[in-house]
Amino acid sequence: MKVKIKRWGGVAIWKWNGVAVDDQCSICRQPFDGCCTECKYPGEDCPLVWGQCSHCFHMHCIMKWLNSQQVHQLCPMCRQEWKFKE
Amino acid sequence: MAQNIDPVNGSNNSTAMKDGDGPTSATKHQSTSKRLQQELLTLMMSGDKGISAFPDGDDVFSWIGTIIGPQGTVYEGLVYKLSLTFPNGYPFTAPTVKFVTPCFHPNVDTYGNICLDILKDKWSALYDVRTILLSIQSLLGDPNNDSPLNGQAAQLWSDQVAFKKLLLEKFQDTKS
């Protein structure tokens, strides 16, 4: 039997490394593999960041939290001083 | 930043403009209501005992919560209604939470204002309606008598029998 492929469609899936598929950002309550409430499309434009305390958030969400803090910049989860994990 | 001019936001704009800070607050508005809708969903699924909350009418930024006094405390079985008002900056700024049902308690004043650190300087973006109501519920049985808003209640707290008597009298008054 001879098969002639006329056309095909490609489908790809992706996920962030280091977080479970069903995990959500505890600031905005949206999935990590989705985007924060102010972005439209997930992916590199709405990245994840980790603190040295190992807690993870959408970058936009943690930046908004840190900017709203007047004195100390603490992780909203554990109240340790927030330092970005290198 | 194309989402700033999403025409779907048009209906929200009137409220945003009232706040006086232009179209950027329309997106904030939207992300706050998105989170509140998410919270409502999880709150309805969670089935916590003794606490509940629901938006007050069509406005998702103002909720009415209910707390039942915890077992083993003088407040056992008493039902209190609270109002929760969410600012546009929620969850980055705390909501305003007040008792609607008058509450005789060392850390609640006669206007229903509550003195609770997590609603002030200890606020975190991770708190939500559920954790706020659970915190207030546990505050009922475990007041902070060192910084009272109601001096009479704070003084009387050490005498739990007398406290409960006065509490029930006052609670009955609010119903009649």
Side-chain angles (χ1 to χ4, degrees), chain A residues 24 26-30 35-40 57 60-62 64-65 68-69 75-79, chain B residues 2-3 6 27-28 30-32 34-35 38-39 42 91-93 118 121-128:
Chain A
Q24 60 177 16
S26 35
I27 295 180
C28 66
R29 308 295 164 95
Q30 301 299 314
C35 51
C36 80
T37 42
E38 287 195 19
C39 286
K40 235 173 186 164
F57 306 97
H60 297 148
C61 297
I62 190 68
K64 271 198 279 176
W65 169 248
S68 75
Q69 297 304 100
C75 170
M77 188 84 86
C78 61
R79 297 193 199 280
Chain B
Q3 60 267 39
D6 186 349
T27 23
K28 275 186 199 150
Q30 199 192 20
S31 66
T32 303
K34 211 167 169 181
R35 189 183 127 144
Q38 190 73 39
E39 279 192 42
T42 44
F92 302 100
T93 43
I118 64 150
D121 54 317
K122 289 288 190 291
W123 171 253
S124 157
L126 303 201
Y127 290 132
D128 55 16

Side-chain angles (χ1 to χ4, degrees), chain B residues 63-77:
Chain B
W63 291 33
I64 293 289
T66 311
I67 291 178
I68 304 175
Q71 283 184 3
T73 72
V74 287
Y75 295 91
E76 183 168 339

Side-chain angles (χ1 to χ4, degrees), chain B residues 18-85:
Chain B
K18 237 187 290 171
D19 294 334
D21 43 6
T24 48
S25 76
T27 23
K28 275 186 199 150
H29 205 92
Q30 199 192 20
S31 66
T32 303
S33 70
K34 211 167 169 181
R35 189 183 127 144
L36 285 169
Q37 278 158 15
Q38 190 73 39
E39 279 192 42
L40 182 59
L41 217 71
T42 44
L43 196 65
M44 283 161 65
M45 307 282 274
S46 72
D48 285 292
K49 275 194 181 151
I51 62 156
S52 63
F54 206 78
D56 186 17
D58 287 340
D59 184 9
V60 80
F61 287 80
S62 118
W63 291 33
I64 293 289
T66 311
I67 291 178
I68 304 175
Q71 283 184 3
T73 72
V74 287
Y75 295 91
E76 183 168 339
L78 303 185
V79 181
Y80 290 96
K81 282 207 181 314
L82 299 96
S83 69
L84 300 98
T85 315

